Amino acid sequence: MSAVVDPGSQIERKLHKLGLRTPADCLLHLPLRYEDETRVTDIGRLLPGVFAQVEGEVTRCEVQMRPRRQLVAAVADETGELALRFLNFYPSQQRQLAVGSRVRVRGEPRGGLFGLEMVHPRVGGADAQLPQRLTPVYPTTQGLAQSILRRQIAAALAQADLSDSLPDVVRERWGLCGFADALRELHTPAADATVEDLAQHTHPAWRRVKFDELLAQQLSLALARAERRSRRAPAMPRAAGADTLFERLLAQLPFRLSKAQQRVVAEISADLGRAHPMQRLLQGDVGAGKTVVAALAAAQAIDHGYQVALMAPTEILAEQHLRKFGEWLAPLGVNIAWLSGSLSAKARREPLAALASGEAQLIVGTQALIQEHVQFHRLGLAITDEQHRFGVGQRLALREKGVAGADGIHQLMMSATPIPRTLAMTVYADLDVSEIDELPPGRTPVLTKLVNDVRRDEVVARIHVAVEAGRQAYWVCPLVEESEALELQTAVDTFETLRAALPQLRVGLVHGKLPTAEKAEVMRAFKAGELDLLVATTVIEVGVDVPNASLMVIEHAERFGLAQLHQLRGRVGRGSAESICVLMYQAPLSRVAKQRLRTMHETTDGFLIAQRDLALRGPGEFLGVRQSGEALLRFADLREDGGLVDEAREAAAWMLAEYPDAVHAHLARWLRGRENFLKA
């Protein structure tokens, strides 16, 4: 850190807590907002909620004891009087506000009992010279004053390297101001600067900072992609001949692949045939047919004598994959093993031994697959479903279990949560992306209805009608048991209520707290048609495929996110019958809840839903599992800066080709050791 702060001091520890260890860190610790202390406002012109600075004479100052001990004062000018209130104060503040003193007061006025007042304003002498620039207000931590941050950042501006990492031709081509000019303008903006542009991050200085950040991300991911292509992986091209596992699986499928599935299979097949690691994201809407594509990829790897691992985030989803892959591959002679955290130590021994010996050709499981004691004989392909639910470390751990003599394995990541374009170009720019953009034949559109929960009896009656017609139904609840914090209808209570209301129906209950065997038995019974109605929590969100289920009720739909609602709705509409999803809500609804439910009512397009979900939640929350403790981007906003992403991507390609030295200088400034976070 600079010489302004003593090493090892309490202030230095607080600066480190903010990530400020070097002058370069301080340069990029940008203001949250600005206060205009360059002028004095008449008290009579103050507006509630608008920061201002006034000057006047203290007309009153006293310590009041009710309702609590506090210092109350007033300052007046020719246009009016302003009350000041201090809930915590020192004797020095009382002396500073002696009646008759002339002071300058800065703060945010608000409505009080007797007119406008400022609570805990900053008070200074009226004889001090007014600043010539806007005053920055920085993100801070408890006990670290703004004055200390301002001194530290001013020292950094004088000490740090402000040389430009972008060649002049790059700045000119994209109309960017200089790096040093941008930082000085953001830290010490002139009095005539447009506060609105600064606050809304549309000022040219903000544009330069956001462009630089996005450019660093694009450069890092492009280098990571190039590095991956330099690594070795087992080449497993699609073998010719009708006797291959791939062709036998394709021939025995009870349906034809859609054109989109055929295109995606070809893309993955070509990747597997190359001698560098595939890293492909397979995305498609709910029910688009990603699982059979993954099965064909597995067959291609097994044809070459390699093992395949399929990892899913939940046991119920992993079990669904086990059943599907078992139906397709086991009759063709493939040895499939199962591994999950719920297995006893004794039950684990057999699959672990089969993996280590190579007897097991395909292993399906949960995060148990990445435990240190799990050893593969010849792992060549890892398939990860709902990949955004896994952290970077979990995905990398599976990659490290690859076949000896290779630098990596092929990875296929699947997601039924479509990735909006801006995320695909930034967070996922290191991946090749395949999209299944059409539904297989036979899938019927789902009609979505919004129903206030005061009409619950009508919904229950609708279930009875659906079952009478030979159909099955889901009833989804957000909680398993009663919660004092949220007065929601619980799955257990709902199960008992519906069983009493519909005595002639066979009602089942499934949730995450059930023992694995019991949960599997309930799901088997529902799929086999032995249950008419399944009351469930979100454990059925992904992986459950019951074509005869044509009605879904989602209790307290306002409490679910868009991605969850879309996934749940995808559990129906899998057969030929008209399917309905009832989103039952409790009024009044928040603004965001209204937007979510309106979106679900208006469209079944997963890509449009994902785009709106990103707009509502932001990229970090949208991705589900944060990939690090740091924000995905500190300054750029993927919801607002899509155009800037395009420009940064184009600039990155140009700089990599023409200005490699500038690339390394730019990354050194912006990433400083975070490259692995971005490329993972």
Side-chain angles (χ1 to χ4, degrees), residues 425-445:
M425 291 171 61
T426 51
V427 180
Y428 293 106
D430 182 32
L431 305 181
D432 297 303
V433 179
S434 290
E435 290 181 6
I436 303 178
D437 50 10
E438 63 175 319
L439 292 178
R443 289 301 304 268
T444 55

Side-chain angles (χ1 to χ4, degrees), residues 34-38 132-136 187-191 193 195 198:
Y34 301 88
E35 294 175 347
D36 188 355
E37 297 181 1
T38 65
Q132 299 302 302
R133 294 182 174 274
L134 299 178
T135 303
H187 287 298
T188 57
V195 177
L198 288 167

